[in-house]
Amino acid sequence: MIALDHIAIWSGNLYRTTIELSRLTGIGSADGGYFPGLGLGQKIISLGGGVYLEIESIVDHRMILERDPVALELERQTDSGDCFAGLCLRSDELTEIEAFAAHRGVEVSAEIAGGKALMVPGQKRGRAAHAPDFLNSWLKGKPNIYYVEGLENHSSILPPQPGTGDVVGLGVTSIELGGSEASLRSWLGELDPAELGLDIRYNGLADGLYAVGFDSTAGPQEIRLPPITLPAARSRAAQTLLSETS
C-alpha cells in the first residue's frame, strides 16, 4: 500500500530555506547529512505521520566545477528561488515497487543515480529500492516510489535540533498538484492515489507539486512554492540530462 513519504525542496541555500520554513511553521529541523556522490546536503523538517520535508542544496561546489549534471540542474532550478523538486511516495511491499517499475518500463534500483548512501554519523539510514530514478520522475513533475519496510530508522522521526522550533507536525492532509487526476493515475498504473488518504487538488497547470497542507500543534498550515521546471521550458542540456539518467 502506498503512502506519502517525503517532499523534496531544492534551495540555493540549505540553511536559509530551513530557517525560513521553521520560522514559518514553528517546526524544528534535523540535520539530514549529505550525498557524497551528488554534492548535496539536506535538512529535515517532519510534518508528522511519517512524512517529512527534505530540503536540499549544493554543499560541495566542486560538483559545479566538474559539471556534474545533478548539481547543475539544482543550480539552474533554484536560480530564481526555492522550488518543490519531488513528491516521493513509499510502499512496504517490494512487489508493489516491482510492478510500478514494470509499468514505467524501468528497473528497480537500489542506488541513487550519481550518488552513494546518505552519510550521517550515528544514523542507521542507507540505500532504499526505488523506481523510477528520482530525476526521471521529478523532472517530469511526477512522483517516484521508495521501498520502506518500517519507520524505525525513518528520517521523519529524527529529533529536531534544540532551539529550531517547538511546533509538532501532526500529518499531511492535502497536496495541490498540476495536471489532472487522469494523468497521475496513468503515471501510477495499478497504484491508487486514493490510498494516500489525502485531499488531492489538481490545478490544471504544469505537472508538479504546488502546495502541501498539514495539521500541527499550532493549527492547520500550508506551504506553497513553485514547482520544478518541466521539459517544455528546459534547455537542450537539461533534456540531455534526462536521457543520461534513464
Side-chain angles (χ1 to χ4, degrees):
M1 184 171 181
I2 58 172
L4 180 58
D5 189 76
H6 66 280
I7 293 165
I9 294 174
W10 276 359
S11 166
N13 185 321
L14 178 68
Y15 291 92
R16 170 188 51 77
T17 301
T18 304
I19 290 169
E20 289 178 352
L21 285 171
S22 286
R23 285 176 175 169
L24 174 69
T25 64
I27 302 174
S29 65
D31 185 2
Y34 75 107
F35 292 98
L38 295 174
L40 305 182
Q42 62 176 230
K43 293 283 190 177
I44 303 296
I45 294 179
S46 177
L47 300 181
V51 181
Y52 62 96
L53 300 177
E54 180 181 85
I55 304 149
E56 298 179 332
S57 72
I58 301 164
V59 294
D60 185 352
H61 286 267
R62 290 179 302 173
M63 295 296 185
I64 296 294
L65 295 176
E66 295 171 4
R67 313 301 293 171
D68 177 81
V70 176
L72 289 175
E73 182 67 8
L74 190 152
E75 183 183 51
R76 194 197 68 78
Q77 290 280 353
T78 59
D79 182 62
S80 58
D82 300 343
C83 66
F84 281 130
L87 182 67
C88 306
L89 310 182
R90 68 171 179 261
S91 173
D92 60 1
E93 299 178 26
L94 189 55
T95 55
E96 201 166 43
I97 306 294
E98 293 168 344
F100 177 61
H103 170 67
R104 298 302 327 153
V106 299
E107 297 291 331
V108 175
S109 176
E111 300 281 347
I112 295 174
K116 299 178 182 178
L118 184 65
M119 306 295 289
V120 184
Q123 293 179 12
K124 299 178 180 179
R125 293 180 296 155
R127 299 166 183 160
H130 62 282
D133 173 70
F134 73 98
L135 276 178
N136 281 285
S137 301
W138 297 3
L139 293 181
K140 294 181 177 75
K142 297 296 189 184
N144 63 330
I145 303 180
Y146 293 86
Y147 174 61
V148 180
E149 193 170 4
L151 300 182
E152 295 83 4
N153 299 312
H154 198 248
S155 294
S156 66
I157 64 172
L158 289 174
Q161 294 175 312
T164 58
D166 299 322
V167 173
V168 177
L170 300 177
V172 172
T173 56
S174 67
I175 54 175
E176 181 181 326
L177 302 177
S180 64
E181 181 178 358
S183 67
L184 178 61
R185 286 187 176 276
S186 176
W187 175 264
L188 292 176
E190 295 183 2
L191 301 177
D192 186 356
E195 291 182 358
L196 299 177
L198 305 174
D199 175 20
I200 305 178
R201 303 187 299 270
Y202 302 90
N203 61 26
L205 302 175
D207 284 328
L209 177 66
Y210 288 75
V212 54
F214 58 97
D215 284 333
S216 75
T217 53
Q221 300 196 53
E222 182 182 72
I223 297 172
R224 183 171 291 272
L225 287 172
I228 199 167
T229 305
L230 297 183
R234 286 209 308 273
S235 66
R236 185 182 299 275
Q239 292 283 3
T240 302
L241 172 61
L242 273 179
S243 62
E244 289 177 349
T245 58
S246 296

